[in-house]
Amino acid sequence: MVAGTIIFFRNKPTETPKTEVFKVGIAGVTEIASIDPIKATTGLGIMIVEHLYDRLVILGEDGEILPMLAEKWEHNSDFTEWKFWIRKNASFNSNSKKMPLTSQDVAYSLERAIKTPSIAQSLMVPLIVGAQEFIEGKSTNLKGIKVEGETVILSLKQPFVFLPERLATSFFGIISKEAANVNIDTLSFGSGPYILSKWNKGERKIELIKNNDYWGHMSKSSPEKIIFHWYPNEGLMIEDFLAKKLDWIELPTTLLTSFEGKLKENNIIREEHFGLWYRLVAFNLEGGELKDKPDIRKAMQLSVDKNELLKLYFGGALPVNGPLPKFVDKEAVETKHNLEQAKILIDKSGYLQSPFEIEILVEPSEDANQVAEVLKKQWEEAGLRIKLKKGLANFFELVYKGEFDAALAYYGVLANSVEEFYWPFISNYIPAPNAMRYKNIEVDDLYNSFIAEPSKEKRDKTKKQISQKILNDNPVIFLI
């Protein structure tokens, strides 16, 4: 991965006295739409969901699959049937009620994720036997999900090696079937280490309290209460942090010089982290101005000097050269900056004779604004006319609807899984996360072979073919 973040805090959560409230600040967020596992799709929403709802499995720091609500699991020889044993000591907890967690709840949660229009639905319907018929109302019974005693059995339409990694994402948090008629944005029935206490939308705060009946291990020093406070911009958050109203904040490294001086005070600790996300420019290949202009798209890619972008991050970023970042694919070929070749392609395309303005939607954040200005300068140097559209509250809505020419955004994986990095380029995942509406039958076929292949050696060979075909088609510009 890539663009990094800097975390500032006075005390780590694990060092906070048990009775103390731990206050977290997150900037660049105007509102949270939902904390329902299948509806929470933004970084902060997902962070909160992961405190409230456990999944069947979780991925460790190095990508290994670890048990969570499933104590163990097994699959048949061709990876088309998976069986999960649900632990007996887990329970659901709300402010007023405690209920046992059973295999029936797991089946209910997965069925709910499949029948609700969402990213979760797009991730599971192509896999589960009978799912398509179920969501179309042709069947009231979802054949691919069965409960046998304390186990849940998933039957798949095709071999799929990465099912545990997919189930580790926050979209598949397990909720109680008793919550069927409850608004879980106001009353959570989760099995996670914390319970929803209060959501004050006016003050942009969500308050969680410790689940003292949590089945898993929690440090004795875990805070009794966590308050998440989100801010529309970094400046307001910094003010509250300096006023000691927050214990922990996160900033993109692009803002290091703006605020580091203010944060150099006693008892403030700084850590730098690389995340599982990267910046990109996505082209609309279905209805945008650049749909039928591959030479212009290629010229825009060649015009980008990533070294100039890296300067914005003060060493807190790495270049990305393909769908798989370097830490996933060490053999990724570097995409070269070549301004002269870009100018040749622009001339060849006829653009100079019939120029037009290329609109770039910019994700609403100060970090993205800085990147956008550098890109605009580079593209204009190549001879293109660029208009940046910044600060759009409906940015993601416009992108998902396909109402854009190109968009400066980011893509981040929810679990450290190789196959997840390919989601934006698979036709089944239009419009999210494949907002480009990118379609290549060969890529789809290779991907299906990749996810069905038990041999890592063979998967690695297929992986190279997929990445190269995506690079040849140029649906996005990979940045940092």
Side-chain angles (χ1 to χ4, degrees), residues 236-248:
L236 294 173
M237 182 180 72
I238 291 291
E239 288 180 13
D240 277 1
F241 185 68
L242 293 175
K244 300 186 178 181
K245 295 179 181 180
L246 297 170
D247 300 302
W248 186 102

PDB file of all heavy atoms in Angstrom, residues 236-248:
ATOM      1  N   LEU A 236     -10.791  21.811  12.886  1.00  0.00           N
ATOM      2  CA  LEU A 236     -11.642  21.737  14.071  1.00  0.00           C
ATOM      3  C   LEU A 236     -11.217  20.597  14.988  1.00  0.00           C
ATOM      4  O   LEU A 236     -11.236  20.720  16.219  1.00  0.00           O
ATOM      5  CB  LEU A 236     -13.102  21.552  13.651  1.00  0.00           C
ATOM      6  CG  LEU A 236     -13.751  22.726  12.906  1.00  0.00           C
ATOM      7  CD1 LEU A 236     -15.123  22.330  12.398  1.00  0.00           C
ATOM      8  CD2 LEU A 236     -13.846  23.945  13.814  1.00  0.00           C
ATOM      9  N   MET A 237     -10.827  19.496  14.386  1.00  0.00           N
ATOM     10  CA  MET A 237     -10.384  18.351  15.185  1.00  0.00           C
ATOM     11  C   MET A 237      -9.097  18.673  15.936  1.00  0.00           C
ATOM     12  O   MET A 237      -8.953  18.337  17.114  1.00  0.00           O
ATOM     13  CB  MET A 237     -10.180  17.133  14.284  1.00  0.00           C
ATOM     14  CG  MET A 237      -9.753  15.876  15.028  1.00  0.00           C
ATOM     15  SD  MET A 237      -9.530  14.452  13.919  1.00  0.00           S
ATOM     16  CE  MET A 237      -8.015  14.926  13.075  1.00  0.00           C
ATOM     17  N   ILE A 238      -8.160  19.336  15.250  1.00  0.00           N
ATOM     18  CA  ILE A 238      -6.893  19.705  15.878  1.00  0.00           C
ATOM     19  C   ILE A 238      -7.147  20.624  17.077  1.00  0.00           C
ATOM     20  O   ILE A 238      -6.539  20.474  18.139  1.00  0.00           O
ATOM     21  CB  ILE A 238      -5.958  20.394  14.864  1.00  0.00           C
ATOM     22  CG1 ILE A 238      -5.483  19.402  13.813  1.00  0.00           C
ATOM     23  CG2 ILE A 238      -4.763  21.020  15.566  1.00  0.00           C
ATOM     24  CD1 ILE A 238      -4.543  18.353  14.325  1.00  0.00           C
ATOM     25  N   GLU A 239      -8.070  21.580  16.906  1.00  0.00           N
ATOM     26  CA  GLU A 239      -8.390  22.495  18.009  1.00  0.00           C
ATOM     27  C   GLU A 239      -8.871  21.727  19.239  1.00  0.00           C
ATOM     28  O   GLU A 239      -8.463  22.015  20.365  1.00  0.00           O
ATOM     29  CB  GLU A 239      -9.459  23.492  17.560  1.00  0.00           C
ATOM     30  CG  GLU A 239      -8.961  24.545  16.581  1.00  0.00           C
ATOM     31  CD  GLU A 239     -10.060  25.499  16.164  1.00  0.00           C
ATOM     32  OE1 GLU A 239     -11.137  25.493  16.813  1.00  0.00           O
ATOM     33  OE2 GLU A 239      -9.868  26.242  15.187  1.00  0.00           O
ATOM     34  N   ASP A 240      -9.756  20.755  19.026  1.00  0.00           N
ATOM     35  CA  ASP A 240     -10.265  19.973  20.158  1.00  0.00           C
ATOM     36  C   ASP A 240      -9.173  19.104  20.776  1.00  0.00           C
ATOM     37  O   ASP A 240      -9.137  18.904  21.992  1.00  0.00           O
ATOM     38  CB  ASP A 240     -11.439  19.095  19.705  1.00  0.00           C
ATOM     39  CG  ASP A 240     -12.751  19.855  19.685  1.00  0.00           C
ATOM     40  OD1 ASP A 240     -12.743  21.060  20.010  1.00  0.00           O
ATOM     41  OD2 ASP A 240     -13.786  19.254  19.330  1.00  0.00           O
ATOM     42  N   PHE A 241      -8.273  18.598  19.928  1.00  0.00           N
ATOM     43  CA  PHE A 241      -7.177  17.780  20.451  1.00  0.00           C
ATOM     44  C   PHE A 241      -6.250  18.621  21.332  1.00  0.00           C
ATOM     45  O   PHE A 241      -5.853  18.202  22.421  1.00  0.00           O
ATOM     46  CB  PHE A 241      -6.401  17.155  19.296  1.00  0.00           C
ATOM     47  CG  PHE A 241      -5.324  16.187  19.731  1.00  0.00           C
ATOM     48  CD1 PHE A 241      -5.648  14.978  20.326  1.00  0.00           C
ATOM     49  CD2 PHE A 241      -3.991  16.490  19.548  1.00  0.00           C
ATOM     50  CE1 PHE A 241      -4.663  14.089  20.719  1.00  0.00           C
ATOM     51  CE2 PHE A 241      -2.990  15.612  19.935  1.00  0.00           C
ATOM     52  CZ  PHE A 241      -3.333  14.405  20.524  1.00  0.00           C
ATOM     53  N   LEU A 242      -5.924  19.814  20.870  1.00  0.00           N
ATOM     54  CA  LEU A 242      -5.052  20.694  21.644  1.00  0.00           C
ATOM     55  C   LEU A 242      -5.736  21.169  22.923  1.00  0.00           C
ATOM     56  O   LEU A 242      -5.074  21.445  23.927  1.00  0.00           O
ATOM     57  CB  LEU A 242      -4.635  21.897  20.793  1.00  0.00           C
ATOM     58  CG  LEU A 242      -3.731  21.578  19.600  1.00  0.00           C
ATOM     59  CD1 LEU A 242      -3.479  22.824  18.767  1.00  0.00           C
ATOM     60  CD2 LEU A 242      -2.417  20.966  20.047  1.00  0.00           C
ATOM     61  N   ALA A 243      -7.067  21.229  22.889  1.00  0.00           N
ATOM     62  CA  ALA A 243      -7.822  21.613  24.081  1.00  0.00           C
ATOM     63  C   ALA A 243      -8.070  20.418  24.998  1.00  0.00           C
ATOM     64  O   ALA A 243      -8.806  20.533  25.980  1.00  0.00           O
ATOM     65  CB  ALA A 243      -9.151  22.239  23.670  1.00  0.00           C
ATOM     66  N   LYS A 244      -7.452  19.278  24.677  1.00  0.00           N
ATOM     67  CA  LYS A 244      -7.547  18.049  25.477  1.00  0.00           C
ATOM     68  C   LYS A 244      -8.972  17.493  25.547  1.00  0.00           C
ATOM     69  O   LYS A 244      -9.357  16.852  26.513  1.00  0.00           O
ATOM     70  CB  LYS A 244      -6.984  18.271  26.878  1.00  0.00           C
ATOM     71  CG  LYS A 244      -5.510  18.681  26.858  1.00  0.00           C
ATOM     72  CD  LYS A 244      -4.921  18.768  28.251  1.00  0.00           C
ATOM     73  CE  LYS A 244      -3.431  19.143  28.163  1.00  0.00           C
ATOM     74  NZ  LYS A 244      -2.801  19.223  29.488  1.00  0.00           N
ATOM     75  N   LYS A 245      -9.724  17.721  24.464  1.00  0.00           N
ATOM     76  CA  LYS A 245     -11.058  17.137  24.372  1.00  0.00           C
ATOM     77  C   LYS A 245     -11.028  15.785  23.657  1.00  0.00           C
ATOM     78  O   LYS A 245     -12.048  15.093  23.596  1.00  0.00           O
ATOM     79  CB  LYS A 245     -11.998  18.086  23.625  1.00  0.00           C
ATOM     80  CG  LYS A 245     -12.251  19.399  24.344  1.00  0.00           C
ATOM     81  CD  LYS A 245     -13.170  20.296  23.521  1.00  0.00           C
ATOM     82  CE  LYS A 245     -13.415  21.621  24.212  1.00  0.00           C
ATOM     83  NZ  LYS A 245     -14.300  22.511  23.418  1.00  0.00           N
ATOM     84  N   LEU A 246      -9.878  15.429  23.086  1.00  0.00           N
ATOM     85  CA  LEU A 246      -9.697  14.156  22.386  1.00  0.00           C
ATOM     86  C   LEU A 246      -8.419  13.495  22.880  1.00  0.00           C
ATOM     87  O   LEU A 246      -7.454  14.182  23.248  1.00  0.00           O
ATOM     88  CB  LEU A 246      -9.617  14.373  20.870  1.00  0.00           C
ATOM     89  CG  LEU A 246     -10.853  14.946  20.164  1.00  0.00           C
ATOM     90  CD1 LEU A 246     -10.504  15.327  18.736  1.00  0.00           C
ATOM     91  CD2 LEU A 246     -12.002  13.951  20.196  1.00  0.00           C
ATOM     92  N   ASP A 247      -8.415  12.153  22.832  1.00  0.00           N
ATOM     93  CA  ASP A 247      -7.220  11.395  23.233  1.00  0.00           C
ATOM     94  C   ASP A 247      -6.448  10.858  22.043  1.00  0.00           C
ATOM     95  O   ASP A 247      -5.263  10.549  22.153  1.00  0.00           O
ATOM     96  CB  ASP A 247      -7.623  10.213  24.131  1.00  0.00           C
ATOM     97  CG  ASP A 247      -8.318  10.664  25.393  1.00  0.00           C
ATOM     98  OD1 ASP A 247      -7.715  11.431  26.153  1.00  0.00           O
ATOM     99  OD2 ASP A 247      -9.485  10.254  25.608  1.00  0.00           O
ATOM    100  N   TRP A 248      -7.117  10.731  20.902  1.00  0.00           N
ATOM    101  CA  TRP A 248      -6.525  10.033  19.746  1.00  0.00           C
ATOM    102  C   TRP A 248      -7.074  10.659  18.476  1.00  0.00           C
ATOM    103  O   TRP A 248      -8.278  10.838  18.329  1.00  0.00           O
ATOM    104  CB  TRP A 248      -6.902   8.560  19.827  1.00  0.00           C
ATOM    105  CG  TRP A 248      -6.316   7.605  18.839  1.00  0.00           C
ATOM    106  CD1 TRP A 248      -5.285   6.749  19.056  1.00  0.00           C
ATOM    107  CD2 TRP A 248      -6.783   7.324  17.502  1.00  0.00           C
ATOM    108  NE1 TRP A 248      -5.069   5.969  17.938  1.00  0.00           N
ATOM    109  CE2 TRP A 248      -5.965   6.306  16.969  1.00  0.00           C
ATOM    110  CE3 TRP A 248      -7.789   7.854  16.712  1.00  0.00           C
ATOM    111  CZ2 TRP A 248      -6.135   5.804  15.689  1.00  0.00           C
ATOM    112  CZ3 TRP A 248      -7.959   7.368  15.424  1.00  0.00           C
ATOM    113  CH2 TRP A 248      -7.135   6.347  14.932  1.00  0.00           C
TER     114      TRP A 248
END
